[in-house]
Amino acid sequence: MKELKASMAGTVLNVLAAEGQAVTPGQAVLTIESMKMEIPVEAEFGGKVEKIHVEVGGFVNEGDLLMTVGE
Amino acid sequence: MKKILIANRAEIARRIIRTCNRLGIETVAIHSEADGDLPYVSEATEAVLIGPNPVVQSYLQIEKIVEEAKKRGVDAIHPGYGLLSENADFARKVAEAGMTFIGPSSDIIEKMGDKIESRRTMIQAGVPVVPGTEEGVTTLEEALQEAAGIGYPLMLKASAGGGGIGMVRCESEQALTQQFVSVKNRAKAYFGDDVVYLEKFIADARHIEVQIFGDHHGNVVHLYERNCSVQRRNQKVIEESPSPDLPQDVRERLYEAALQAGKAVNYTNAGTVEFIVDPNNEFYFLEMNTRLQVEHPVTEEVTGLDLVEWQLTVADGGELPPQDSIQTKGHAIEYRVYAEDPKTFFPSPGTLEKLQWGEGARIETGYEEGNQVTPFYDPMISKVIIHGTDRIDALSKSQTFFDHVTIEGVKTNIPLFKEFIRSEEFISGDYATAVLPEWMEKTKEEHTL
């Protein structure tokens, strides 16, 4: 199980992957808005999305867990 | 006018409070939970917690802001820039509540906020406008058909857009096809209106704007021009006045066109007419901003005027001075200091652990050492404005100034300024809107950002 964490604080604008979905490295899985800029968050590794730990409109701090991805 | 509410935050709120204090006008500051510790909150006569951190729940709460203003007996509301400053509904509600909106009427804001409508108005007034569609385009088929007539490259823009958001350059039919739905969706999400239009892309253009003012007695004057061509992501980074490398006759024709634009809509209060100027010095109207702008200090430095005071005077029914009494002196450059990575332009929120500016510049900032720069708002932490006897003097003072600034706790674009203002591209004064990204690409192996 691998963890995808937020690289900066911001508001979750949208979630582009669903639990159970397979993702590939570099695929955009979330968008975070910080300081009026939309920042795509890409999967750093491939696998199946086990759990999404955030919801649209929610606020995340740097280092917060966004998603866990299984092998 | 005895008491005004400032429907804004940070730097511009502080700037307005300063003029009000000098004129003996009381101020009411509004703030979100995140902004409670910022200096403008304690510098105002009164402060009101308006809501939680997201702007939609605080600074964009029209009813709540108007209600607070009424409750506190204010005479007028100053919207600053951004947020509600170009919201016609807000201006209307302020007026309906019996208070003065410090800006143009809601009708003017509405007309100029709709970019298609403003283009149409300027065409009728005889102001040169960038070739493009005269109506909004609703389907991709229609867009492709119109684009064939305009030619590529072109700009696909949101009619209600602004601040560089909702505009994309399309090089080909394929790019327009790819971007069409995305720009419409962004326009809807950001501005609540998905109408888009097409404009011819003018290559190697400079972004030059003219500051205008109108009063309620039918007078419209200009306060000269600013060159805003140093941009990143279609957003301004450095502005200067006068614009370098612009023949005097072109300068004067720009002033005339700006006055023509202002008079065409019976403009009142502070406004800016934005133009793009091509390499042959042909210019075209881009849009009119119906508010005080971020870069207004550049004009203040060269004219010696206080534009916030002018706004208050005009809003109170005062008359503007004659055009020939407004003169300029020297050269001014403004640098927008953003909390962002100087290389990637990615945001860098955090705590301002150290903030030392040094001498030789006018600093307009909403923050002090120890304040948090939160992810909820704009990344601008300060404006640095440097005035010199001429451009060479202003540049030399800028170089010395930035060598002595210390900001710790967040990344800023100051390292970028330190290198860019020593570049041949900037020093020559002969630069177009792509200058910054092009210089960064060219020097990526060399710079030490």
Side-chain angles (χ1 to χ4, degrees), chain B residues 233-253:
Chain B
R233 297 202 316 255
N234 294 318
Q235 287 175 329
K236 299 163 188 171
V237 181
I238 301 175
E239 304 97 347
E240 57 181 317
S241 182
S243 174
D245 198 38
L246 194 63
Q248 190 57 27
D249 66 308
V250 180
R251 216 180 289 277
E252 279 161 20
R253 283 196 287 126

Side-chain angles (χ1 to χ4, degrees), chain B residues 204 206 250 253 277-283:
Chain B
D204 299 319
R206 283 158 286 169
V250 180
R253 283 196 287 126
V277 182
D278 75 12
N280 299 318
N281 288 319
E282 293 298 324
F283 60 80

Side-chain angles (χ1 to χ4, degrees), chain B residues 54-362:
Chain B
V55 288
V56 288
Q57 293 174 50
S58 51
Y59 298 105
L60 298 182
Q61 286 282 323
I62 293 178
E63 305 287 347
K64 209 168 168 188
I65 294 168
V66 172
E67 197 49 45
E68 284 294 342
K70 273 164 65 182
K71 207 158 67 181
R72 286 157 197 276
V74 313
D75 311 300
I77 296 187
H78 195 308
Y81 50 69
L83 297 173
L84 294 172
S85 62
E86 291 179 287
N87 185 311
D89 187 34
F90 182 55
R92 194 173 295 121
K93 288 197 166 125
V94 171
E96 281 168 5
M99 293 174 286
T100 302
F101 179 78
I102 302 172
S105 69
S106 52
D107 291 349
I108 296 174
I109 297 174
E110 208 147 47
K111 204 169 196 175
M112 294 297 107
D114 178 339
K115 306 303 177 213
I116 296 170
E117 174 71 21
S118 74
R119 280 169 55 84
R120 205 179 292 133
T121 306
M122 293 307 145
I123 291 168
Q124 280 165 7
V127 177
V129 169
V130 183
T133 49
E134 285 185 27
E135 304 288 336
V137 284
T138 45
T139 64
L140 175 63
E141 290 67 35
E142 202 185 325
L144 290 169
Q145 203 179 345
E146 291 280 357
I150 299 166
Y152 294 91
L154 52 76
M155 298 295 288
L156 172 62
K157 292 184 171 184
S159 185
I165 297 166
M167 54 192 271
V168 170
R169 178 176 159 174
C170 300
E171 299 289 336
S172 60
E173 265 190 28
Q174 193 192 0
L176 179 59
T177 306
Q178 276 170 355
Q179 295 289 348
F180 190 74
V181 173
S182 155
V183 170
K184 270 178 94 69
N185 288 345
R186 282 169 68 83
K188 183 76 182 167
Y190 275 90
F191 311 107
D193 177 356
D194 72 348
V195 178
V196 294
Y197 66 105
L198 304 172
E199 248 181 27
K200 186 175 174 59
F201 176 77
I202 312 283
D204 299 319
R206 283 158 286 169
H207 180 128
I208 297 176
E209 60 187 28
V210 180
Q211 174 74 61
I212 63 163
F213 251 89
D215 66 17
H216 294 281
H217 306 275
N219 303 305
V220 183
V221 295
H222 73 80
L223 278 70
Y224 305 90
E225 89 283 8
R226 298 183 285 255
N227 185 329
C228 308
S229 304
V230 182
Q231 303 180 358
R232 58 105 175 90
R233 297 202 316 255
N234 294 318
Q235 287 175 329
K236 299 163 188 171
V237 181
I238 301 175
E239 304 97 347
E240 57 181 317
S241 182
S243 174
D245 198 38
L246 194 63
Q248 190 57 27
D249 66 308
V250 180
R251 216 180 289 277
E252 279 161 20
R253 283 196 287 126
L254 276 169
Y255 304 152
E256 277 311 309
L259 291 175
Q260 216 173 323
K263 284 172 184 165
V265 291
N266 297 317
Y267 198 80
T268 52
N269 220 292
T272 298
V273 189
E274 299 198 338
F275 296 96
I276 53 169
V277 182
D278 75 12
N280 299 318
N281 288 319
E282 293 298 324
F283 60 80
Y284 306 93
F285 169 87
L286 259 189
E287 61 180 39
M288 188 192 281
N289 295 137
T290 54
R291 56 175 157 82
L292 188 71
Q293 283 190 294
V294 175
E295 58 270 30
H296 75 275
V298 170
T299 299
E300 293 188 322
E301 288 300 307
V302 292
T303 59
L305 301 167
D306 179 334
L307 299 199
V308 175
E309 182 177 354
W310 273 43
Q311 285 194 290
L312 300 175
T313 304
V314 165
D316 217 12
E319 202 164 341
L320 289 165
Q323 182 68 59
D324 59 11
S325 70
I326 307 160
Q327 301 296 327
T328 62
K329 196 175 168 188
H331 193 97
I333 311 177
E334 175 180 280
Y335 304 88
R336 300 190 190 191
V337 179
Y338 291 125
E340 65 183 20
D341 185 296
K343 237 179 186 170
T344 62
F345 306 134
F346 266 38
S348 177
T351 305
L352 287 164
E353 282 154 16
K354 202 165 197 179
L355 190 61
Q356 284 176 356
W357 292 109
E359 302 293 317
R362 168 176 164 186

